[in-house]
């Protein structure tokens, strides 16, 4: 096994990981590990924009109130305060580094999205906001010679010694590398691929959450998965996101009979909170016995639509849908995980030396339902904070180079072997079945029976979560199964409906609804160095 020693290890290259790397780079050697090419992250695909209280008509206090309201009583107020107060500074800095957000004349142009009481969403090149932010952050990271990138590397596990995180084992093609670091940051994004319908890229398999859980980190709020109301639903087309900004600019939702329906579900109509719109669409789909509804922009000026949403226009056109003339078939899809690795306001987890930021982390900033376009801002603000905190570990202690004690995991391994021998599972079949079960049973509308069925099915494959796999695809399945089980268990335990978590058998909030649910792996199996 090859050994590399660095000062800081950043796992993930979306907005949070890159922003942290920029803070770490002047303080020591940084290794950034990514599973694919560095730009392949949820950030790259974020369309609508980034919410920030920078317009003349806005105030941080109003952004705070809107975020708290969307979070449905479960936001950590101090985390939200940090987000809205530090957000304008982080965005201004990004503009100084070259980010080109769209303007009207000389002033920044702000759009509207659901549950915002002001036009506060900055956008870039119409609907390529994340791509623009990623471009600027990558070029800033490139300006530091202290940062070394490892693309196409999958993390096997964290290195935990004496209860402290000392880096990670990674898979580089078929070779295992141990990367030892004084501080390790998880910024691997979300879990969308656990569901068969998702707006997330293929890399979003819950890796950061699963490896943190295996190492003994606390996860929190894992029942809260946000479903985006409008992903493209067309044969052979990807489940491409159709930004909420389209409804912000006046797009309407129609059922397959072409009838408008949103006003009968919520007074805010198309701009009702995301969970309300997603459930309304599912109700219409069931009522009309179809599998989709339509997004309608045909009443808007064609030139405006093409200019405002160039990427969406071009993508839909590839599938023979001209969004200026045709109704767009859409249905909801898993979009964002509000829960994650529990951290303090500086990205620190319960494991010394381990930090998390962005969608992988749970600071409590989103509560039970994220306000649209708050996630890119979260990545910037909390990526920065985690970077500053992790940098402070530099020099605090000399790097200890102890070998990890091999733990006997023979019992577990033989149970796994029995499972493999007895069932000879096809891992790709399991992956597909898992995603379908999660969508059908743990999706937008859940109940005790559906969740119980999911738990039984997922538990059959549980031995896979203990396997020492050696390929990216196998490791992804192990991580997907780990987070799927945790999401299902958390959803079963929350007997009430709050924010994005809706239980048809408990439609009210229920008792003790303000409690946050945390999970931690029992300390039965320690992680050992891969052979
Ligand atoms: C969108 O453009 O609708 C996605 C923005 C977000 O999820 O924050």
């Amino acid at each position: 096994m090859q050994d590399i020693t660095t000062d800081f290890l950043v796992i993930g290259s979306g907005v949070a990981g890159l922003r942290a790397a920029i803070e770490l780079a002047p303080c020591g050697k940084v290794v950034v590990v990514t599973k694919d090419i560095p730009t392949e992250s949820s950030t790259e695909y974020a369309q609508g924009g980034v919410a920030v209280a920078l317009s003349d008509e806005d105030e941080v206090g109003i952004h705070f109130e809107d975020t708290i309201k969307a979070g449905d009583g479960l936001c950590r107020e101090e985390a939200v305060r940090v987000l809205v107060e530090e957000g304008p500074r982080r965005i201004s800095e990004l503009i100084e580094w070259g980010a080109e957000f769209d303007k009207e004349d000389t002033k920044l142009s702000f759009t509207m999205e659901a549950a915002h009481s002001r036009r506060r969403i900055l956008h870039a090149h119409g609907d390529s906001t994340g791509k623009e932010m990623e471009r600027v952050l990558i070029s800033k990271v490139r300006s530091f010679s202290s940062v070394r990138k490892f693309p196409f590397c999958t993390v096997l596990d964290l290195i935990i010694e004496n209860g402290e995180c000392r880096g990670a084992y990674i898979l580089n093609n078929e070779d295992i590398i141990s990367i030892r670091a004084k501080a390790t940051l998880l910024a691997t994004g979300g879990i969308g691929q656990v569901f068969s319908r998702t707006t997330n890229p293929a890399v979003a398999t819950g890796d950061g959450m699963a490896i943190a859980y295996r190492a003994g980190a606390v996860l929190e709020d894992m029942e809260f998965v946000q479903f985006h109301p409008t992903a493209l639903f067309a044969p052979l087309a990807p489940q491409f996101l159709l930004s909420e900004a389209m409804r912000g600019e006046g797009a309407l939702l129609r059922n397959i009979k072409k009838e408008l329906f949103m006003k009968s579900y919520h007074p805010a109509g198309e701009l009702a909170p995301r969970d309300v719109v997603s459930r309304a669409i599912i109700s219409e789909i069931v009522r009309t016995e179809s599998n989709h509804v339509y997004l309608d922009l045909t009443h808007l000026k064609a030139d405006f639509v093409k200019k405002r949403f160039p990427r969406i226009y071009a993508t839909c056109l590839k599938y023979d849908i001209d969004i200026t003339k045709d109704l767009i078939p859409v249905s909801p899809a898993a979009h964002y995980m509000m829960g994650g690795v529990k951290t303090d306001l500086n990205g620190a987890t319960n494991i010394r030396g381990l930090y998390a930021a962005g969608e992988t982390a749970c600071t409590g900033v989103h509560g039970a339902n994220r306000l649209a376009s708050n996630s890119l801002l979260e990545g910037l603000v909390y990526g920065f904070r985690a970077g500053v905190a992790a940098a402070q570990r530099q020099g605090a202690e000399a790097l200890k180079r102890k070998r990890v004690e091999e733990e006997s995991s023979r019992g577990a391994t033989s149970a796994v072997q029995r499972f493999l021998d007895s069932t000879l599972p096809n891992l790709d079949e399991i992956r597909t079945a898992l995603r379908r079960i999660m969508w059908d049973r743990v999706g937008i509308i859940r109940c005790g029976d559906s969740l119980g069925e999911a738990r039984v099915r997922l538990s059959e494959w549980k031995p896979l979560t203990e396997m020492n796999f050696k390929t990216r695809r196998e490791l992804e399945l192990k991580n997907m199964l780990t987070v799927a089980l945790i999401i299902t268990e958390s959803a079963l335990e929350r007997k009430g409906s709050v924010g994005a978590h809706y239980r048809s058998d408990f439609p009210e909030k229920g008792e003790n609804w303000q409690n946050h649910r945390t999970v931690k792996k029992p300390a039965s199996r320690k992680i050992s160095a891969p052979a």
Side-chain angles (χ1 to χ4, degrees):
M1 189 188 324
Q2 192 189 341
D3 272 310
I4 291 176
T5 300
T6 184
D7 294 307
F8 308 111
L9 172 62
V10 175
I11 303 172
S13 61
V15 57
L18 294 176
R19 188 61 195 82
I22 290 166
E23 282 323 291
L24 293 166
C27 304
K29 284 187 283 172
V30 185
V31 167
V32 178
V33 168
T34 65
K35 209 162 60 167
D36 214 286
I37 53 170
T39 51
E40 188 61 12
S41 67
S42 293
T43 300
E44 181 76 5
Y45 296 90
Q47 297 174 358
V50 52
V52 63
L54 271 176
S55 84
D56 294 343
E57 61 172 35
D58 206 358
E59 291 167 27
V60 291
I62 308 175
H63 190 185
F64 175 85
E65 291 301 334
D66 289 348
T67 302
I68 296 284
K69 199 163 156 206
D72 206 10
L74 281 180
C75 291
R76 287 223 165 80
E77 293 201 357
E78 63 275 28
V80 179
R81 195 157 285 122
V82 163
L83 177 83
V84 297
E85 286 178 357
E86 296 184 11
R89 171 111 184 263
R90 297 281 81 84
I91 291 289
S92 304
E93 182 179 69
L94 206 65
I95 294 172
E96 278 162 32
W97 294 343
E100 290 178 14
F101 292 107
D102 296 336
K103 291 189 175 156
E104 274 163 43
D105 301 323
T106 54
K107 283 187 149 183
L108 288 169
S109 160
F110 295 88
T111 192
M112 191 71 176
E113 281 182 349
H116 287 272
S117 58
R118 294 286 187 279
R119 290 182 77 87
R120 72 162 65 92
I121 322 299
L122 283 177
H123 42 94
H125 312 295
D127 51 7
S128 292
T129 315
K131 197 177 169 79
E132 174 64 5
M133 290 171 68
E134 182 87 6
R135 179 188 73 77
V136 172
L137 290 168
I138 285 189
S139 106
K140 184 79 183 164
V141 166
R142 281 203 185 114
S143 70
F144 295 100
S145 57
S146 52
V147 181
R148 188 169 165 200
K149 289 187 223 70
F150 281 72
F152 300 107
C153 288
T154 307
V155 175
L156 292 153
D157 268 310
L158 296 170
I159 301 173
I160 304 290
E161 290 171 354
N162 303 326
E164 195 161 325
C165 181
R166 301 218 164 259
Y169 301 109
I170 66 166
L171 190 68
N172 183 8
N173 294 317
E174 290 180 357
D175 300 329
I176 293 172
I177 307 178
S178 103
I179 302 186
R180 294 185 158 265
K182 296 181 188 101
T184 301
L185 173 79
L186 294 170
T188 59
I191 54 94
Q193 288 298 325
V194 160
F195 293 87
S196 57
R197 274 194 65 76
T198 180
T199 60
N200 290 187
V203 290
T205 50
D207 302 342
M209 295 173 207
I211 62 175
Y213 177 74
R214 287 201 287 277
V218 174
L219 306 192
E220 185 174 50
D221 287 347
M222 292 292 285
E223 65 272 40
F224 296 116
V225 179
Q226 184 172 75
F227 296 88
H228 197 288
T230 56
L232 187 59
F233 188 92
L236 306 179
Q239 295 158 10
F240 182 70
L241 176 70
L242 293 160
S243 176
E244 187 151 317
M246 298 173 96
R247 281 174 283 128
E249 300 290 359
L252 298 167
L253 284 164
R254 298 181 183 276
N255 63 25
I256 51 152
K257 297 178 181 163
K258 317 238 166 102
E259 299 158 340
L260 297 171
F261 58 87
M262 268 318 300
K263 284 280 185 206
S264 58
Y265 288 91
H266 195 280
E270 272 70 8
L271 288 184
R274 258 180 206 179
D275 59 309
V276 175
V277 182
S278 292
R279 284 198 297 278
I281 292 175
I282 294 295
S283 300
E284 288 299 300
I285 285 175
V286 171
R287 202 175 66 76
T288 58
E289 297 181 3
S290 75
N291 50 18
H292 63 276
V293 295
Y294 292 115
L295 191 65
D296 179 7
L297 284 84
T298 56
H299 53 290
L300 303 178
K301 287 211 170 83
D303 285 350
F304 167 75
V305 170
K306 284 187 209 170
K307 184 160 178 259
R308 180 68 184 81
F309 302 109
R311 192 173 180 182
I312 298 175
Y313 174 75
T315 304
C316 288
L317 211 52
K318 275 198 220 151
Y319 299 96
D320 285 333
I321 301 164
D322 179 343
I323 65 170
T324 67
K325 295 195 185 103
D326 302 322
L327 298 183
I328 316 167
V330 295
S331 95
H335 185 57
Y336 191 87
M337 169 49 100
M338 270 72 73
V341 184
K342 183 176 165 64
T343 69
D344 67 12
L345 298 183
N346 297 311
T349 70
N350 60 308
I351 299 177
R352 260 181 305 137
L354 181 66
Y355 298 79
E359 191 171 350
T360 312
C362 180
T363 58
V365 78
H366 304 303
N369 206 3
R370 178 180 62 95
L371 183 68
S373 288
N374 263 355
S375 43
L376 290 173
L377 193 70
E378 180 202 15
L380 279 183
V381 167
Y382 283 98
F384 165 83
R385 285 186 149 244
V388 170
Q392 283 164 3
R393 280 184 68 81
Q394 168 75 315
E397 214 184 322
L399 196 59
K400 291 177 191 154
R401 303 199 97 257
K402 276 190 182 169
R403 273 267 147 235
V404 179
E405 280 171 40
E406 291 272 346
E407 280 284 316
S408 166
S409 57
R410 230 166 263 147
T413 307
S414 60
V416 169
Q417 202 54 53
R418 275 200 302 281
F419 169 79
L420 290 175
D421 291 346
S422 64
T423 58
L424 292 173
N426 176 321
L427 297 187
D428 279 337
E429 276 173 16
I430 293 180
R431 188 180 177 119
T432 304
L434 178 155
R435 300 181 71 218
R436 205 164 286 158
I437 290 164
M438 290 301 285
W439 179 252
D440 290 343
R441 301 278 175 254
V442 195
I444 298 170
I445 299 177
R446 307 159 166 181
C447 70
D449 286 349
S450 72
L451 293 166
E453 277 174 45
R455 176 165 63 182
V456 170
R457 288 296 309 283
L458 296 171
S459 299
E460 287 169 18
W461 302 316
K462 200 169 176 183
L464 295 176
T465 64
E466 302 289 338
M467 284 290 293
N468 291 323
F469 284 127
K470 297 272 168 54
T471 70
R472 166 174 166 177
R473 198 138 173 99
E474 291 167 346
L475 286 161
E476 284 181 343
L477 176 62
K478 171 174 170 168
N479 293 337
M480 289 164 73
L481 187 54
T482 302
V483 292
L485 280 159
I486 295 171
I487 293 169
T488 305
E489 205 59 58
S490 304
L492 260 170
E493 285 199 13
R494 184 171 283 279
K495 295 184 176 54
S497 296
V498 188
H501 169 74
Y502 183 80
R503 293 264 312 238
S504 56
D505 49 350
F506 294 103
E508 304 303 324
K509 282 195 155 115
E511 275 176 29
N512 302 323
W513 66 272
Q514 276 167 313
N515 293 347
H516 292 266
R517 187 170 182 280
T518 55
V519 277
K520 187 169 183 290
K521 189 173 166 71
S524 57
R525 175 185 172 263
K526 283 206 189 122
I527 292 166
S528 49

